[in-house]
Amino acid sequence: MSKRRQTRVGFQCKANYSTAFTKTQETSAAVHFKRGDVDSNDVVTSGASDPYCIVKVDNEVVARTATVWRNLNPFWGEEYTLHLPMGFHTVSFYVMDEDTIGHDDVIGKISLSKEVIGAQSKGLDSWMNLTRIDPDEEIQGEIHLGLELVQDGIRAGLHCHIIEARDLAPRDISGTSDPFVRIMFNSQTAETSIIKKTRFPHWDEVLQFELNDTKLQDGQSLALEVWDWDMVGKNDFLGKVEIPLDCLQKASQVKAWFRLLPLGKTEDDAGGKLGALRLKIRLVEDRILPSMYYQPLIDLLIESVTSPAEVDDTTPLTMLEEVTTVESRQEVAITLVKIFLGQGLVIPFLDYLNMKEVNQTSDPNTLFRSNSLASKAMEQFMKAVGMLYLHEVLKPIVNRIFEEKKYIELDPCKMELNRTRRISFKGSVSEEEVRESSLELLHMYMSDTMDSIVNSVPQCPPVMRVAFKQLHKRVEEQFPEPENEDVKYLAISGFLFLRFFAPAILTPKLFNLRDNHADTRTSRTLLLLAKAVQSIGNLGLQLGHGKEQWMAPLHPFILQSVGCVKDFLDKLIDIDNDSVAEAHHRAIFLPSVTVKEGYLQKHKAEGQQLLPRFAFKKRYFWLSSETLSYAKSPEWQVRSSIPIQRICAVERVDETAFQMQHMMQVITQDNDGQPHTMYIQCKNVNELNQWLSAIRKASIYNERMLPAFHPGAYKSGKWSCCLQTERTVLGCSRTHSAVTLGDWSDPLDPDAETQTIYKQLLQGRDKLRKKYLESADAETAMDQKEKQQGSGSQTDDMKKSRSFYERRMAAAARLLDVVQDLERAHLAFERREKEEASNDILPP
């Protein structure tokens, strides 16, 4: 059997709510919004809406875009990667209108099943009309049933044991329901009792039905419906299950959880009047084999870096780049970076790629300008190991710009004098006054930004500094001429400034520098600052050559900063390679490194005490792969710590438990096996999702993870979720430990990462075989030359060419053999899984 089976869902969402209404995007998920007729108070009163998107996997909210205020044509530009369990069913997108008072309005939704997404190997990318929200279709939860066929020789009956249900949809204003079950079988109907005010009812009731014969007839089924009882008006539908009873032909009794389904009505898209959502979403589902199957491929990749025979030799890495498409290059780059980080060889890996790129470049002006594997690998490497460094350098400046909201504009064509905050009381401001004020503010922001950058050498991760030192060395060796003196600086600044600092300033939310997108005014300030930083990173060489001549007043400051940048880069690479141990190559993934931190509200439930409703205290939390710790403030000397190994569940808490939003719980076990729960409140749903995901990833390999938990709290002698009175009773809801958001802090997983490389090579196998093993052109030409010269008169060049060709063929043959072995292993495991599934008599 495989070490583990996992579904890896790449999901990147970029969303626009545009003139026809929405846009969200991928792992590939993207959403464009086309505005339609929206029934919303905001639209009626102000002609605008405050849209945002929510992404749900089954019934769990996993992501929320920022709100775009007063806009019917919003652009979000957000990307998410979701890691999901194999058993997920649907991914849904809800377009919401945020209201500062009262509940947010639902504009419409798109719901896609796993089967629909998975049917498109390259993913979905199309406009889809939003559909209305139908309560009968908003179904969630499962029901636990036992079915038994009872015979006494003369009569036969079916006993249906209604045990419990979990995660039912809330239908009442209290956030709960009053559920009961109705069963229809053989023209007979029976109902359970009503359990009030719960989404996790326990019935433990047996409903009995008579059969017309002593045995079940072929094709007979049992229909079950769950309803929410209402004293006034009609009951609300909570879901249905139709169970074929063929399973009782093999075994007289069956007990299982069944997923509740909607009525199956055709979704009403209102003819597109609600708007449309452009979705781009891709599902990646992998079978991960045991480590021993991937080791030969890892060995070949490592061999490419550690012992290449010649600089121009064909290696598995160069062949991998040949079969990598433009669309997949970024994924392959980050995967390779993580593989070599895990092997402690990320510096030799980057040096190998950079050396080949530099040696193949004749014009220094084109160096690293393409999206080659070397360029993408360096870019992803900086994000993997340098995000904490980036936050330390830029976050204070970015926060200040967001808070101050200054009006800054240099382009005369974009100046809006009537909307500008007055600089004096003499009347409306002039264009010159706006320009002078903007220059003063921009100079201040640029000065603070550059001071933070050039003084950040001690904060820069040593592994980044060594990588830049090696890059500096390779460029200097290739372009030693005096006229190319700046090229060695441009190579480094091109990555650090143009691909790291400038993009983070331009879109701080995408680098987790801010929770929300900038408004129009702040966004313009960030754009101008990013342009200036980009020009400084180019060492001022592009000044005066562009169309934006209105940027000219900034040129003196940019040119003055060039010397500081060169001095900064000289200091950055002034580091001894030997002083950077292998541990530094993996520094970002070591236990001592904090992967997330910030203020949260906490309450710890201890012993048998009832939970006080407002006993939450503000604490500063730190999370590493070893501990979850907290203190009164970041400077506080005394910290309380929870070992990550003791965490057995990290889950959401129902809003009804404390009448508080954005709550989660961390459940741990002590050495005696006793459970302890800490309740934590976050500022918003995005912060909640980030902390949930980060702690889940840190504890993903713990051995004592719980299969179930209580989403409520134990107070007044019972659980608020399932109403059970026993405090130690088994949890009433399924845990979601496999649902996480992918980001730079994902733990290293060599098997999953190597599986990604294998799939890429498998797709390009025919291309490699044709080029390296089946093409006889090169060998035929070589043989003809040898015959003309005579076998005893081979030149040195011919011998070298023959040796090069033979090494290339051998490398390709070894790589393709490894790919074929992995393919056979996958087929063997697939056959075994099918055999095991065919022996399973229980229904899914």
Side-chain angles (χ1 to χ4, degrees), residues 488-499:
K488 59 190 178 186
Y489 293 112
L490 285 167
I492 302 174
S493 63
F495 286 116
L496 194 57
F497 283 78
L498 276 63
R499 298 194 185 214

Side-chain angles (χ1 to χ4, degrees), residues 103-307:
H103 292 287
D104 296 347
D105 300 317
V106 183
I107 296 172
K109 76 163 188 174
I110 297 292
S111 187
L112 299 172
S113 68
K114 177 183 176 182
E115 291 72 26
V116 169
I117 303 171
Q120 304 294 326
S121 59
K122 294 184 178 180
L124 291 170
D125 184 0
S126 63
W127 285 93
M128 304 179 72
N129 287 339
L130 290 175
T131 61
R132 298 185 190 277
I133 301 298
D134 183 349
D136 289 345
E137 298 300 302
E138 294 295 296
I139 303 302
Q140 63 186 56
E142 301 170 299
I143 189 165
H144 195 192
L145 302 176
L147 299 176
E148 183 178 7
L149 185 61
V150 180
Q151 295 177 315
D152 59 5
I154 301 176
R155 293 181 303 175
L158 179 66
H159 290 187
C160 185
H161 185 193
I162 314 298
I163 304 170
E164 60 186 322
R166 61 189 179 195
D167 296 308
L168 298 179
R171 289 288 189 254
D172 298 337
I173 195 170
S174 62
T176 61
S177 291
D178 304 321
F180 69 93
V181 176
R182 178 183 297 151
I183 295 182
M184 289 78 72
F185 172 73
N186 199 23
S187 300
Q188 305 167 61
T189 301
E191 295 181 355
T192 66
S193 59
I194 299 168
I195 309 293
K196 293 189 176 182
K197 296 186 182 301
T198 180
R199 296 172 48 238
F200 303 87
H202 283 251
W203 289 284
D204 196 19
E205 297 180 21
V206 178
L207 303 181
Q208 301 182 10
F209 301 89
E210 292 184 359
L211 297 180
N212 296 331
D213 201 349
T214 56
K215 62 179 182 179
L216 290 170
Q217 299 176 6
D218 291 341
Q220 271 192 300
S221 62
L222 176 145
L224 176 150
E225 295 176 349
V226 184
W227 292 84
D228 167 46
W229 176 82
D230 284 335
M231 181 179 294
V232 180
K234 295 193 302 182
N235 296 332
D236 299 315
F237 182 69
L238 291 174
K240 69 172 186 177
V241 177
E242 188 161 338
I243 307 171
L245 297 179
D246 296 342
C247 57
L248 292 176
Q249 303 286 3
K250 297 181 180 180
S252 60
Q253 59 182 9
V254 169
K255 182 183 289 187
W257 284 93
F258 295 86
R259 178 179 169 232
L260 294 173
L261 299 174
L263 287 173
K265 300 178 183 177
T266 303
E267 291 186 334
D268 178 17
D269 66 4
K273 292 182 179 179
L274 296 178
L277 201 61
R278 184 187 173 194
L279 277 177
K280 186 178 180 185
I281 177 170
R282 182 168 61 97
L283 172 68
V284 180
E285 186 171 2
D286 284 332
R287 177 187 293 103
I288 310 299
L289 303 179
S291 299
M292 63 179 183
Y293 290 96
Y294 296 109
Q295 194 58 48
L297 181 53
I298 291 178
D299 290 342
L300 284 181
L301 295 174
I302 291 174
E303 187 179 307
S304 301
V305 170
T306 57
S307 55

